Amino acid sequence: ILIEDVINCFSLSIEPKILREAIIEMKSTGIPKRHLRRPFQIYEELMGVYNAIDIPNLVFQSIKLLKNKKINFPKLYLHVDEYQDLNTMDQEFIDQIIQSGNHEVVVCGDDEQSIYSFRHAYPAGIKSIWDSTNWEPIAFNKCSRLPNHILRASRKLIEAHRGSHIAKQMEIPSETREKIITFQCTKPDIELRQIIKHIQEIKSIKRKKDGNPISF
């Protein structure tokens, strides 16, 4: 309703969904779009009139409160997980909390596992923490969650697309006979049918690759 009010107020030739996404992007990155600066301001004022708040504003307004010194935290023991998936303003929020007192903070994440670009994730943020002398860096260089052949293949894939990443010195296991089965499909529905066919073949054989029976 508020977004449509803004569109009508300024006679904007923009779809509500597009304007909403632009507002979310501005609140997630802290970077204003010049042509939407005034509509954005009116949107914020309207939320004040209706005593409303949107989800990105929870962080956006909290940063303002912290910068204005309106919150006095007790000593916090804060653990922040999946830091690589936080956007710029999320990370600014964490930074403002750290500056608000004598807190103990642990940040955990992996810049190579950032998958939340749709919410403007900023994986470079964890690299800047890693490079900062204000933090104690600890790298976990052993992976226990993947079979050896999948770990080797994933490292090859990451290295082929490597930009400026944290050097974790990962322990890479020796190669085994296990291989990843791959299918090249041109459409999602073809991919789906191929996976179903492969599962059906495994079920019909009723054996694993090592010859042992399959238990469902």
Side-chain angles (χ1 to χ4, degrees), residues 126-162:
I126 195 165
K127 188 174 188 305
S128 66
I129 284 180
W130 179 265
D131 295 335
S132 171
T133 56
N134 295 325
W135 293 78
E136 177 188 359
I138 300 172
F140 297 96
N141 56 9
K142 187 173 182 179
C143 177
S144 302
R145 72 193 301 186
L146 299 174
N148 288 354
H149 67 297
I150 294 179
L151 177 59
R152 287 182 62 85
S154 66
R155 293 309 306 173
K156 289 282 187 183
L157 182 65
I158 288 168
E159 287 166 8
H161 294 82
R162 178 178 291 279

Side-chain angles (χ1 to χ4, degrees), residues 82-87 91 107-114 121-138 162-168:
E82 305 292 5
Y83 192 86
Q84 77 280 352
D85 290 328
L86 301 184
N87 58 46
Q91 293 174 13
V107 163
C108 186
D110 182 356
D111 57 335
E112 292 170 342
Q113 294 189 52
S114 183
Y122 185 65
I126 195 165
K127 188 174 188 305
S128 66
I129 284 180
W130 179 265
D131 295 335
S132 171
T133 56
N134 295 325
W135 293 78
E136 177 188 359
I138 300 172
R162 178 178 291 279
S164 177
H165 288 274
I166 296 171
K168 304 174 187 68

Side-chain angles (χ1 to χ4, degrees), residues 1-35:
I1 293 171
L2 300 189
I3 286 175
E4 288 180 352
D5 283 351
V6 172
I7 290 172
N8 293 333
C9 177
F10 288 93
S11 300
L12 299 175
S13 57
I14 187 171
E15 292 291 325
K17 182 176 182 290
I18 302 298
L19 179 56
R20 179 176 178 273
E21 289 173 352
I23 289 172
I24 290 173
E25 181 180 350
M26 285 188 279
K27 290 184 180 181
S28 299
T29 62
I31 302 172
K33 294 180 181 293
R34 290 185 180 179
H35 67 294

Side-chain angles (χ1 to χ4, degrees), residues 32-208:
K33 294 180 181 293
R34 290 185 180 179
H35 67 294
L36 294 176
R37 194 186 297 266
R38 184 59 181 152
F40 177 78
Q41 184 181 349
I42 293 297
Y43 173 76
E44 293 293 293
E45 290 175 3
L46 281 174
M47 278 205 297
V49 170
Y50 287 103
N51 196 27
I53 189 167
D54 59 19
I55 289 176
N57 243 23
L58 294 173
V59 172
F60 197 72
Q61 296 298 336
S62 296
I63 291 171
K64 285 185 179 179
L65 288 172
L66 286 165
K67 284 185 174 180
N68 293 333
K69 312 296 183 185
K70 291 183 179 179
I71 297 177
N72 292 317
F73 283 117
K75 183 179 177 68
L76 294 178
Y77 297 87
L78 179 64
H79 178 98
V80 183
D81 199 14
E82 305 292 5
Y83 192 86
Q84 77 280 352
D85 290 328
L86 301 184
N87 58 46
T88 311
M89 298 308 287
D90 293 333
Q91 293 174 13
E92 171 70 11
F93 178 49
I94 301 301
D95 190 53
Q96 289 297 324
I97 290 175
I98 291 169
Q99 294 180 43
S100 70
N102 183 27
H103 309 305
E104 293 192 26
V105 181
V106 173
V107 163
C108 186
D110 182 356
D111 57 335
E112 292 170 342
Q113 294 189 52
S114 183
I115 58 173
Y116 282 85
S117 58
F118 66 89
R119 69 177 303 273
H120 311 286
Y122 185 65
I126 195 165
K127 188 174 188 305
S128 66
I129 284 180
W130 179 265
D131 295 335
S132 171
T133 56
N134 295 325
W135 293 78
E136 177 188 359
I138 300 172
F140 297 96
N141 56 9
K142 187 173 182 179
C143 177
S144 302
R145 72 193 301 186
L146 299 174
N148 288 354
H149 67 297
I150 294 179
L151 177 59
R152 287 182 62 85
S154 66
R155 293 309 306 173
K156 289 282 187 183
L157 182 65
I158 288 168
E159 287 166 8
H161 294 82
R162 178 178 291 279
S164 177
H165 288 274
I166 296 171
K168 304 174 187 68
Q169 308 299 324
M170 285 291 296
E171 291 183 14
I172 307 300
S174 56
E175 192 164 359
T176 63
R177 292 183 178 180
E178 284 286 317
K179 301 294 181 185
I180 296 174
I181 298 172
T182 61
F183 304 110
Q184 185 171 357
C185 305
T186 54
K187 295 180 180 178
D189 60 323
I190 296 175
E191 178 185 34
L192 179 61
R193 290 200 299 271
Q194 180 61 49
I195 291 170
I196 291 171
K197 180 183 175 184
H198 184 64
I199 291 172
Q200 288 172 338
E201 288 173 354
I202 294 171
K203 287 176 69 178
S204 66
I205 296 169
K206 298 181 180 178
R207 294 278 173 185
K208 298 180 184 178

